[in-house]
Amino acid sequence: MNPQRVQASALFYAVVVVLLVGSVVGGIILLTHHRNQLAERWLVHERVASNARSAAHLALSRSGPEATEEFIDLFGEGTDSAAVRWTAWGGLDLVHARAWYADQQATVAAFAGRHFDDALVLDLARRAGTLHLCGDARLHGDVRVAQADVRRGHIEGRPFSGERLVEGAIHRATETTTTLRSDLEERVRRLCAGLAFQAERIVTDAADPGPPWSGDPQEPLPVLLYHGATHLDHVDLRGPLIIRCDDSLSIGTSAALDLVIIQAPFIAVDPGAAFSAQCFATTAIVIGEGAQLHFPSMLAVCRDERRSEAALIDVGEDVAVHGAVILLDRSVRDRSGGGLVIHPRAEVHGEVFVEGGVQHQGLVTGTLVAREMVLRTPASMYHGHLLDGILRPYTFGEPRGFGCSHQATERTLLQWAPVTHGTVIG
């Protein structure tokens, strides 16, 4: 064999091997560089997302004007910048936070509420008089009543069946009555009256809202406007979003609602419905049997002073409300048709504040503040009686919600709003 031919073939194969090895090594280097770039962008993404969430928590301590954007240097080093603002969202606050670094930014939003004071399970006004417990009524916690006077009662053939009247301390009610937090009361009165928000836009003025709606926390608050008596069913509506009706509004079992605000003179919830909403009315709210209102929900009625009828909130049997129940009827005196009615096996977990009488035969975990306890029967109406109703401290972890009667309570994030974050600037 010719030696020169062998040397030429070997040289050719060596060159091919070198090229192959160079291609593989170059590919590995390029792939490593690309992965490093992706990792760096992912780290920046996580950094701005974390900064945005940190800014949202920091916004809770701000007390500036509503809807005013405030710029923050998070760590005082001039590299991690964020902007925060908040807007009123019913009894909650809608907090926005935007952070940026390099060529990326993240935007998050969250619904903020407040801690509530659960030191008392029952707080009655001084003029309510003696409280009589009847049947299977139970008070598991500290209470405040007139003259610190709780007695065994007997009504409709039902004497008190327990051993101890109160499983806790009994405090004497004073001349100073517990009031609703001032800024929350102002919001409730405005919303019950159907007044508009500071920044909102009408997105539909028809009976059918069309496809599923989901509000964007970065845009003006969308409003679905309805005229006349309306039955809302087979819809998918996600907050932040407002449903406003100028007549009675009923919510069907197939309505998928999450963190929306509902404004109507009269609101009815069909039996078996399940959703999360803050409901504001001027005459009444009636919750049908077995309905479930998920946290953080609110039922609020503020009586229209032009009407003679008393305001009413009726919580049906086997209903569960997680959040707050508020009834403002300050000018009403001794009306038998108004107030709050909690039917047997119904549950309210959170805060109850009523300027009027409460007929309670279900379960309240949290705190109940009212003018008096009442009991309506087909034959008569009894004042200062609690039949079968149970009150106990909040059992769902930390007492967080709307902070109805605690004037100096701290804000806290309750739930993040579903918004997209991690976008590229420019």
Side-chain angles (χ1 to χ4, degrees):
M1 180 179 292
N2 190 340
Q4 292 181 349
R5 182 182 295 272
V6 172
Q7 291 177 357
S9 299
L11 179 61
F12 172 78
Y13 288 121
V15 171
V16 170
V17 171
V18 169
L19 289 175
L20 289 175
V21 171
S23 298
V24 171
V25 172
I28 293 174
I29 293 174
L30 288 175
L31 180 61
T32 302
H33 176 68
H34 179 65
R35 288 177 61 87
N36 288 340
Q37 283 188 321
L38 290 178
E40 184 177 350
R41 291 189 62 79
W42 180 84
L43 291 173
V44 172
H45 168 84
E46 291 300 307
R47 178 172 181 168
V48 295
S50 176
N51 286 350
R53 290 190 291 268
S54 298
H57 285 280
L58 184 61
L60 299 179
S61 62
R62 303 305 194 196
S63 58
E66 180 182 351
T68 300
E69 192 168 52
E70 179 182 356
F71 293 90
I72 303 172
D73 181 5
L74 286 174
F75 306 110
E77 299 175 355
T79 58
D80 295 88
S81 301
V84 296
R85 63 185 174 89
W86 68 274
T87 55
W89 180 248
L92 304 177
D93 294 330
L94 182 56
V95 178
H96 309 76
R98 179 169 56 92
W100 58 91
Y101 183 83
D103 66 339
Q104 293 196 55
Q105 74 172 5
T107 302
V108 298
F111 295 95
R114 296 175 182 267
H115 291 90
F116 67 86
D117 187 359
D118 63 342
L120 300 174
V121 297
L122 179 63
D123 187 358
L124 298 179
R126 182 177 180 180
R127 59 182 175 182
T130 301
L131 176 64
H132 299 84
L133 304 185
C134 309
D136 296 327
R138 298 291 185 270
L139 299 176
H140 300 283
D142 296 352
V143 302
R144 180 160 56 202
V145 298
Q147 304 300 320
D149 193 359
V150 181
R151 303 180 184 179
R152 296 174 180 268
H154 185 285
I155 198 168
E156 301 290 319
R158 299 285 308 283
F160 179 65
S161 61
E163 296 182 359
R164 296 186 59 183
L165 290 169
V166 179
E167 298 289 341
I170 305 176
H171 303 280
R172 182 188 299 267
T174 64
E175 290 285 353
T176 303
T177 59
T178 303
T179 59
L180 193 63
R181 205 180 75 239
S182 55
D183 61 321
L184 178 58
E185 178 177 346
E186 180 181 356
R187 293 190 194 184
V188 169
R189 291 188 180 277
R190 285 182 53 83
L191 292 169
C192 289
L195 299 180
F197 281 74
Q198 188 176 31
E200 67 177 36
R201 59 189 175 96
I202 306 298
V203 296
T204 180
D205 195 5
D208 184 3
W213 268 99
S214 180
D216 185 349
Q218 304 305 313
E219 300 294 332
L221 299 172
V223 180
L224 302 182
L225 195 60
Y226 296 90
H227 301 284
T230 301
H231 181 65
L232 194 64
D233 206 359
H234 301 288
V235 294
D236 188 350
L237 306 173
R238 309 289 170 173
L241 184 144
I242 304 164
I243 301 170
R244 185 176 298 147
C245 182
D246 57 11
D247 204 332
S248 60
L249 175 70
S250 60
I251 303 170
T253 56
S254 297
L257 309 177
D258 184 36
L259 289 166
V260 301
I261 283 179
I262 302 173
Q263 294 175 284
F266 175 86
I267 300 172
V269 176
D270 287 356
F275 56 87
S276 168
Q278 297 181 67
C279 302
F280 299 91
T282 54
T283 58
I285 297 177
V286 178
I287 311 298
E289 182 177 347
Q292 305 289 310
L293 273 70
H294 306 307
F295 182 84
S297 291
M298 175 188 284
L299 305 178
V301 175
C302 179
R303 187 182 71 89
D304 186 346
E305 295 182 357
R306 297 170 295 182
R307 299 178 61 89
S308 59
E309 297 87 353
L312 171 67
I313 298 178
D314 189 285
V315 181
E317 295 185 4
D318 298 310
V319 167
V321 178
H322 296 262
V325 177
I326 298 174
L327 188 143
L328 303 179
D329 202 351
R330 192 164 299 167
S331 62
V332 174
R333 297 292 184 273
D334 300 325
R335 289 183 175 169
S336 60
L340 169 65
V341 180
I342 302 176
H343 289 272
R345 300 187 305 280
E347 300 179 1
V348 178
H349 304 287
E351 306 162 83
V352 178
F353 184 93
V354 178
E355 291 181 345
V358 176
Q359 176 171 316
H360 172 41
Q361 294 179 277
L363 168 67
V364 172
T365 66
T367 180
L368 188 156
V369 180
R371 183 181 301 163
E372 64 173 343
M373 305 301 297
V374 298
L375 177 64
R376 302 175 182 89
T377 69
S380 183
M381 177 173 177
Y382 301 88
H383 296 269
H385 285 76
L386 176 63
L387 175 64
D388 294 337
I390 300 173
L391 294 102
R392 61 168 60 116
Y394 193 66
T395 57
F396 290 83
E398 191 177 1
R400 304 188 304 168
F402 296 88
C404 290
S405 57
H406 194 186
Q407 302 294 333
T409 184
E410 295 181 355
R411 287 191 292 188
T412 179
L413 294 183
L414 301 179
Q415 184 169 330
W416 294 99
V419 298
T420 302
H421 61 270
T423 57
V424 176
I425 299 175

